[in-house]
Amino acid sequence: MRQNSDQIPLSTSLNIFPAQKIKKQSLVNKRVLYLSLQAILNAIVIGFVARLLVYLIDLITNLAFYGKFSIEPASPARNGLGLAVIFIPVAGSIIVGFIARYGSKAIRGHGIPEAMEKIILDDSKIPPSITFLKPLSAAISIGTGGPFGAEGPIIATGGAFGSFTGQIMHISASERKIILSAGACAGMSAIFGSPLAAVLLAIELLLFEFSPKSIIPVALACVTGAAMHLLLFGSSPVFAMSAIPVASGGSLIIYAAMGLVIGVIASLISKSVYAVEDAFEKLPIHWMWWPAIGAIAVGIVGYFAPFTMGVGYENIQHLLSGKLPLTLLISLCFLKYISWVISLGSGTSGGTLAPLFTIGGALGALLGVALLNMFPSLQINLATAALIGMAAMFAGASRALLTSIVFALETTGQSNGLLPLLAACAAAYFVSFFMMKGSIMTEKIQRRGVSTPDEYEADLLKHARAKDLITVAADNDYNGLPFVYATDDLSFCMEVMGRYETDAVAVVSNTPDQKIMGKLTSSAIVKHYSRQKELQHSYNSPKHIKRLLVRGRRIMNKA
């Protein structure tokens, strides 16, 4: 726009006024420091809660399966109860049902979908009682044989604690979302010692944004959670494994193909979880009894395959050795799946990450065994196959691509696995979009009519300025309008229009005399946005390609 004599000097007679009540926020300010300090303090508390949760799971496991009062690490896999083992998960699930009925229904499920729903619909407000009831119910569920890991409950607990502190602090709903996400991901970092993966989990599943204001507090919380892991759990990788070889070019292609297969199966597994939920919804009894019914399947499977019960982190370590016998791989893949899908679908308190890693690791190893039996000369490694299987399964089911890759790297310490992980997880992530609309994390809330973001794009309105779309109007057309400056972005202009309930603003120059350059309307902004979106999805061939195509057609016609 030309800035010349056509501009109108700012005059009080025109009755325009500045949008003084709307302040532009800098990317990083003192509020970020305030949020960061709170996120760090929360992470310290959540680190201790994570340790207490593991102690509580071990205590209940020892009491339920071995009849001793101890917090020593224990697994149901070595119990000698015989047929009586079937009734232990049922008893635990009855207690969980009572807690859900008379405590809070929000303890049901695996945590992340519930946190996402609170972020989207309820200003990130989670009932404070969840901070206590979720770890208690999860410890009872897992300690009595539930086929879940501790990570889901501690993520939910961390998010609930973050939300609770956010509700008693003087912060906005947007800032409370950051504190909730920081708490949830600090819990994941405290359990696994995987701070970077936890940050990526926040970006891909909880924050629905990527900005310095949100990333800084979340990152500091995750670092603090990792420090608590070092203090309370030790420094060794959670899933330590022997060194794997560097993948060759040919093996990368095979790993990518395996990722495609695993992505298809991950999508089917995600659908099956909600199919089981739908089946329980049709039962003519109160939902508080559903977990007990699902626990019958856990107990029966646990009688024949006791290693499918409980946290199962040992199973993942054994899978990553690449040395498990075929029968055990089949059991971990199929029997663990049956036990987990029925239990989770019944609405008990549990998680998804560890079970998906176990099922995916076993599936990856089985695919590796099958390929090596058919083509012995293939240069694939069974431990690598298990590693990419567990990560690709989570990537395909949750659509948390970067989280899956980095989590597998951080928890195993295998840098040579980067390329195979990237190939397999990207393939699984890709194919999942053709298999299902949502993911295992979003399907539940999408069924309730809640739309979840699935992509992050730059704000098109921030790339254009007010001066780019102005029109010159008569003097009296400016009366009663708030004004913005020529260099203000369109996003800010829309915010001004919304605040003052007007469909136009006056645009003034940034010079000291603040001359009126013209008027900016909401319809002009909408047209600009629509035009930019259209350009993003238009396909234009280079001119020289068009000329070649024309020549080709002429030659073909002459022939």
Side-chain angles (χ1 to χ4, degrees), residues 211-282:
S211 67
K213 181 181 179 180
S214 59
I215 294 302
I216 291 172
V218 169
L220 291 174
C222 292
V223 170
T224 306
M228 297 301 293
H229 177 87
L230 294 173
L231 176 66
L232 301 173
F233 293 92
S235 58
S236 300
V238 176
F239 305 130
M241 61 184 295
S242 300
I244 58 177
V246 177
S248 64
S251 62
L252 285 177
I253 296 174
I254 297 171
Y255 293 138
M258 290 172 63
L260 288 173
V261 175
I262 294 169
V264 172
I265 295 174
S267 302
L268 296 175
I269 286 176
S270 299
K271 291 181 178 181
S272 69
V273 169
Y274 295 103
V276 173
E277 281 194 1
D278 292 340
F280 274 99
E281 292 282 352
K282 297 176 182 178

Side-chain angles (χ1 to χ4, degrees), residues 429-445:
Y429 178 75
F430 171 75
V431 76
S432 72
F433 284 93
F434 295 93
M435 297 292 296
M436 55 183 179
K437 292 181 179 179
S439 71
I440 198 170
M441 302 298 180
T442 62
E443 178 70 19
K444 177 181 289 188
I445 56 179

Side-chain angles (χ1 to χ4, degrees), residues 350-365:
T352 58
L353 196 150
L356 285 174
F357 268 52
T358 302
I359 297 166
L363 178 60

